Amino acid sequence: MTFDLSPLYRSTIGFDHLNNLFESATRDSSGGYPPYNIERVAEDNYRITLAVAGFKQSELNINTERNTLTVKGVKAQPEAEQEEPEYLHRGIANRNFERRFQLADYVVVTGASLEDGLLNIELERQLPETMKAREINIQ
């Protein structure tokens, strides 16, 4: 699926990053692991919840750079003397992952918590005062 954004480019300036956003959204290479939810908590507050069962807090990394939120999970290597169990069935995914989320302008991560195998990332849109609506008094 492709989007033709050329009409948008004729009448706007600075929206060329939308094409990159559409392309990255259509080619998700993570294969759906780990599963996640995105919810709106309030008008300007959001929460991303990732199912990271089996990961310790020290094995998870959350990073933001240029409107991209990256969540990585890297399982610690077992010690040499620990023997890998012989699985009869292995249905619990126990692999490294990297998930990326594109954030809108002025959306910042305000906190994160790990509880019951769920990683909750709290986000908030923090508009600068100059961007907020204000009333102008007529003199």
Side-chain angles (χ1 to χ4, degrees):
M1 182 197 285
T2 60
F3 298 97
D4 181 19
L5 300 177
S6 55
L8 180 67
Y9 297 145
R10 287 192 296 250
S11 60
T12 61
I13 297 171
F15 289 93
D16 48 320
H17 69 282
L18 286 178
N19 190 39
N20 295 337
L21 185 63
F22 284 130
E23 285 180 9
S24 67
T26 56
R27 77 176 128 74
D28 182 13
S29 63
S30 63
Y33 179 77
Y36 65 93
N37 293 334
I38 301 175
E39 61 184 297
R40 175 177 280 179
V41 179
E43 185 175 341
D44 287 328
N45 295 75
Y46 305 90
R47 179 181 301 124
I48 299 172
T49 303
L50 289 99
V52 293
F55 282 87
K56 299 175 187 161
Q57 185 173 338
S58 61
E59 298 171 329
L60 298 169
N61 185 320
I62 303 170
N63 189 359
T64 58
E65 182 180 353
R66 293 193 191 124
N67 292 3
T68 301
L69 169 66
T70 305
V71 181
K72 290 182 185 179
V74 179
K75 292 297 290 178
Q77 296 297 324
E79 295 181 21
E81 61 259 3
Q82 272 190 327
E83 191 175 305
E84 181 74 18
E86 180 183 342
Y87 291 103
L88 300 178
H89 170 73
R90 190 169 186 172
I92 299 173
N94 195 17
R95 61 182 186 257
N96 298 341
F97 69 88
E98 181 174 320
R99 252 300 167 199
R100 293 181 186 271
F101 300 92
Q102 295 296 318
L103 303 179
D105 291 338
Y106 311 113
V107 173
V108 297
V109 176
T110 58
S113 63
L114 180 63
E115 184 178 342
D116 298 331
L118 297 175
L119 176 63
N120 293 300
I121 303 171
E122 306 295 330
L123 303 128
E124 182 179 357
R125 181 178 338 178
Q126 298 177 348
L127 289 176
E129 288 298 320
T130 57
M131 301 277 300
K132 293 180 182 176
R134 61 187 176 105
E135 188 172 322
I136 309 298
N137 292 328
I138 301 173
Q139 308 225 357

